[in-house]
Amino acid sequence: MAMRTVLPGNSLSMFQARSASFKCRNMSPLNPSTAKSAVKPITATTISTRKHLSNLEKLLRNQPLLAAQEPQPANDEGSSDGLDAARAGGILHGLNLGRIWPEMKAAEEMSPRNFNRLQRLLSMTPQYSPRNDLGSRWREYHGSRDWAGLLDPLDENLRREVVRYGELIQAAYHAFHSNPEMPTDSAPGPQHVAVPDKCYKVTKSLYATSSIGLPKLVNDVAPGWMTQKSSWIGYVAVCDDKREIQRMGRRDIVIALRGTATCLEWAENMRAQLVQIPGIDDENNLKTSDNRSQPKVECGFLSLHKTQGTNVPSLAESVIEEVRRLVEMYKGESLSITVTGHSLGAALSVLVADDLSVRIPDAPPIAVFSFGGPRVGNRDFADRVTARNVKVMRIVNDQDLITRVPGVFLGEDLEQKLKDTGVMNGIFGDYCHVGTELRVDTRMSPYLKPSADMACCHDLEAYLHLVDGFSASNCPFRANAKRSLVKLLNEQRSNMKKLYTSKAKALRPLTLNLETAEGHYRQPLTTLSGIWWPAGSPNRTHCPTLPYKARELSSHLDLKSEKAKAA
């Protein structure tokens, strides 16, 4: 029988058992175009086999019922369960084509069922995991027990809360990029923030000021907003929706902080020497003469936190003033304070939370949710934050180098051993992370390349994508992840697997083809009035050189036609 040359041994006996039923049918399920005919012999050549498999794939795509079926698990050879699975899954499962053509195994992820799922994930309408009632457990989800038992495997309620706080940070990025300039001769007006969660109301804009200057050459070349000393960095918001307050079990006060965007902020990031926090716990610090036993933090982070601007107060004073006002306004209610940030904002979040725990008597529970945050201070500072009952969750991408600085690119356990031996008692040797870690990995995503570049591994949207798909450290990316891939494709297309970008382009050509005819610009997914982004930009939410107003961009790039500008 010619079919023996292409069928695997474990499927041959099963196929022979069913051959009689094949011949009695009016139409072959392998070739719907031929009626009342027996199954044609399959040749043993590679060309004819691949052609036959191509016909099978076309058949599957044209049958929605088969496309919606779940893949059946493999069964032992010759078992009755295998026959049942073959009948339920169709002829394709019975033939076990993955063993005939090894390339089919690599394409299993792109089955018709997964095409439908990919199309849903590329929808412009965002989908979210359900928000369950937190009720009396809200303190546990806010870190009262350091999230013990909730991280691995990741609790579905905690996952939704983490993603929501990340989206509040994205709102801070978008608000800054929509209007990055600060007035030089007067106090700035309120900054419009399009908060994605309508249950929160923005009550205060926050500004960070650098204490250093830039060379005149940089000031002459860079746009004004890139070199201004004070910049809008985030906001304070409070939940004012009664149903959401009831669901969460308390009224939540949120401080959301963006990451590095201006030249002076980048310069402050480079000031990695450890300095003592002024004016806090001076008496406790004076009890010891050993400098290494004093809580210290990175100089640049402290500068952005404490420095006052010409027309704006310092970040520290703004937060303290607004949180005091809100705590007094809602006195008698169950409250919580949540500080969240990405990159530089993650480092400032720890400083803000530490400051709140000291300067606000009887403060509500304070928690920090940081994404891709660097190290902030030494071990004594980390111990002090923990002693003050400030709960910190660090969401860390295993491939993100930013989470390993300042310091040496070693594990903390190894670094501590080197410190104990005196090898690393220098400027970078004393840095230490604080809080509980939720570790994700770019390599676990079925959509991102395992070799994704540093910008992708640090990107906030990539972080939210990984958190949404994280189930447990020993489990693959969850199949029922709901977060849309549109924004990830727009920002990290070069780091997406080609298998998915090609299918995504075919599914949503209008949404994902954002470059103009001349290739000069692309428009962001969330339309921001007057904002354009250079084509091929790797990360528009974090890189400080990307957002320009149209009038600024026209002076740096060549606008070839009005058609390109309107695309």
Side-chain angles (χ1 to χ4, degrees):
M1 185 176 179
M3 197 168 290
R4 292 180 181 271
T5 59
V6 294
L7 286 174
N10 66 327
S11 300
L12 181 58
S13 60
M14 178 192 66
F15 190 86
Q16 290 174 336
R18 301 189 62 192
S19 58
S21 62
F22 266 142
K23 297 177 181 179
C24 294
R25 295 179 181 179
N26 294 331
M27 181 178 292
S28 170
L30 299 181
N31 190 355
S33 62
T34 60
K36 299 181 180 181
S37 62
V39 179
K40 295 181 180 180
I42 306 175
T43 64
T45 62
T46 304
I47 297 177
S48 60
T49 300
R50 295 191 177 185
K51 182 178 180 180
H52 181 65
L53 294 174
S54 177
N55 292 334
L56 286 175
E57 184 180 8
K58 293 178 181 179
L59 175 63
L60 278 178
R61 292 186 181 182
N62 293 330
Q63 295 183 5
L65 293 178
L66 286 178
Q69 290 178 348
E70 296 289 336
Q72 301 294 325
N75 294 282
D76 293 336
E77 188 174 328
S79 66
S80 59
D81 292 340
L83 291 176
D84 294 338
R87 293 189 184 100
I91 301 304
L92 187 61
H93 293 293
L95 291 177
N96 199 1
L97 298 176
R99 296 191 180 186
I100 304 174
W101 189 12
E103 288 81 355
M104 284 292 293
K105 185 175 181 181
E108 286 176 357
E109 291 181 345
M110 298 308 298
S111 65
R113 176 176 61 86
N114 283 334
F115 282 156
N116 295 335
R117 177 170 173 265
L118 181 60
Q119 189 168 18
R120 174 177 59 81
L121 292 177
L122 291 172
S123 171
M124 293 292 288
T125 304
Q127 298 185 24
Y128 300 101
S129 300
R131 291 185 180 180
N132 299 323
D133 188 0
L134 303 184
S136 59
R137 296 188 63 193
W138 75 264
R139 294 180 183 272
E140 186 178 354
Y141 287 111
H142 203 247
S144 63
R145 298 174 52 244
D146 295 315
W147 297 281
L150 299 176
L151 297 178
D152 197 2
L154 183 60
D155 182 89
E156 62 176 5
N157 294 324
L158 181 59
R159 177 192 293 112
R160 183 67 194 95
E161 296 300 300
V162 170
V163 171
R164 179 178 63 168
Y165 289 129
E167 291 172 343
L168 293 176
I169 304 171
Q170 287 184 328
Y173 274 115
H174 295 159
F176 171 77
H177 290 321
S178 66
N179 186 22
E181 289 184 350
M182 289 273 292
T184 58
D185 54 354
S186 62
Q191 184 92 349
H192 174 69
V193 183
V195 181
D197 193 329
K198 302 305 180 183
C199 298
Y200 284 88
K201 178 181 67 175
V202 176
T203 63
K204 181 102 175 163
S205 288
L206 303 176
Y207 300 87
T209 303
S210 172
S211 61
I212 60 176
L214 290 172
K216 185 177 183 301
L217 177 62
V218 178
N219 287 326
D220 294 339
V221 174
W225 65 268
M226 287 280 290
T227 59
Q228 59 194 11
K229 285 207 166 187
S230 298
S231 297
W232 190 92
I233 199 166
Y235 60 91
V236 180
V238 61
C239 181
D240 65 347
D241 183 89
K242 292 183 178 180
R243 295 182 61 182
E244 182 67 5
I245 293 172
Q246 184 178 5
R247 184 196 72 83
M248 293 193 300
R250 87 281 189 190
R251 187 186 296 271
D252 191 28
I253 301 172
V254 171
I255 299 102
L257 304 172
R258 62 164 176 82
T260 309
T262 70
C263 292
L264 285 171
E265 289 169 0
W266 279 108
E268 292 284 17
N269 290 344
M270 301 297 106
R271 301 173 66 191
Q273 64 269 29
L274 287 166
V275 296
Q276 183 177 328
I277 303 176
I280 299 180
D281 278 355
D282 288 334
E283 295 182 0
N284 293 335
N285 290 336
L286 292 174
K287 289 180 181 179
T288 175
S289 59
D290 187 355
N291 290 331
R292 289 178 297 174
S293 64
Q294 296 181 5
K296 295 182 178 181
V297 296
E298 200 236 37
C299 177
F301 299 155
L302 183 63
S303 171
L304 292 171
H305 181 231
K306 291 290 188 180
T307 305
Q308 180 177 352
T310 304
N311 300 308
V312 294
S314 67
L315 173 61
E317 293 302 324
S318 295
V319 171
I320 294 297
E321 177 186 353
E322 183 62 14
V323 172
R324 278 177 178 166
R325 186 184 71 83
L326 293 174
V327 169
E328 182 64 26
M329 176 184 297
Y330 301 111
K331 189 175 183 180
E333 295 187 27
S334 182
L335 298 175
S336 67
I337 300 175
T338 306
V339 194
T340 185
H342 171 246
S343 192
L344 169 63
L348 294 176
S349 295
V350 177
L351 295 178
V352 166
D354 176 69
D355 200 26
L356 286 170
S357 67
V358 175
R359 300 178 60 184
I360 297 184
D362 302 323
I366 302 173
V368 175
F369 290 84
S370 72
F371 296 82
R375 297 169 180 171
V376 180
N378 60 3
R379 185 170 294 276
D380 290 314
F381 173 74
D383 293 341
R384 188 181 71 173
V385 171
T386 303
R388 288 173 175 165
N389 206 31
V390 174
K391 304 301 181 179
V392 180
M393 179 192 288
R394 296 185 299 107
I395 297 91
V396 175
N397 185 352
D398 192 62
Q399 307 301 308
D400 187 1
L401 297 181
I402 301 300
T403 61
R404 307 178 192 179
V405 297
V408 183
F409 294 101
L410 302 173
E412 288 197 12
D413 293 338
L414 178 57
E415 288 187 16
Q416 185 59 41
K417 292 180 180 179
L418 295 176
K419 293 174 188 176
D420 295 339
T421 59
V423 175
M424 293 178 58
N425 288 335
I427 184 173
F428 300 121
D430 293 331
Y431 276 98
C432 177
H433 275 303
V434 57
T436 304
E437 180 181 276
L438 171 60
R439 184 168 290 270
V440 295
D441 195 330
T442 304
R443 295 170 294 186
M444 295 298 291
S445 171
Y447 306 101
L448 294 172
K449 295 178 181 178
S451 59
D453 58 33
M454 182 177 175
C456 176
C457 294
H458 188 59
D459 180 42
L460 179 56
E461 179 59 31
Y463 264 93
L464 299 185
H465 165 70
L466 295 174
V467 171
D468 186 59
F470 180 80
S471 178
S473 58
N474 58 349
C475 295
F477 201 87
R478 69 185 185 116
N480 59 342
K482 297 182 180 297
R483 187 165 185 82
S484 173
L485 296 175
V486 173
K487 189 172 184 180
L488 189 66
L489 276 164
N490 288 342
E491 296 178 0
Q492 302 297 339
R493 189 183 302 188
S494 63
N495 291 296
M496 300 285 285
K497 293 179 180 177
K498 291 184 178 179
L499 184 66
Y500 291 99
T501 55
S502 60
K503 299 300 180 184
K505 186 176 182 181
L507 290 171
R508 294 199 60 86
L510 297 179
T511 301
L512 301 177
N513 187 18
L514 300 178
E515 293 187 8
T516 63
E518 285 76 9
H520 279 288
Y521 307 101
R522 65 177 182 179
Q523 198 170 9
L525 174 63
T526 303
T527 302
L528 303 175
S529 178
I531 301 296
W532 293 85
W533 311 93
S537 301
N539 183 359
R540 65 181 176 87
T541 62
H542 185 66
C543 181
T545 61
L546 299 186
Y548 290 92
K549 291 185 177 180
R551 63 177 183 273
E552 292 178 335
L553 188 59
S554 62
S555 64
H556 291 274
L557 300 174
D558 179 25
L559 292 174
K560 290 188 176 181
S561 67
E562 290 297 324
K563 180 180 178 181
K565 186 176 179 180

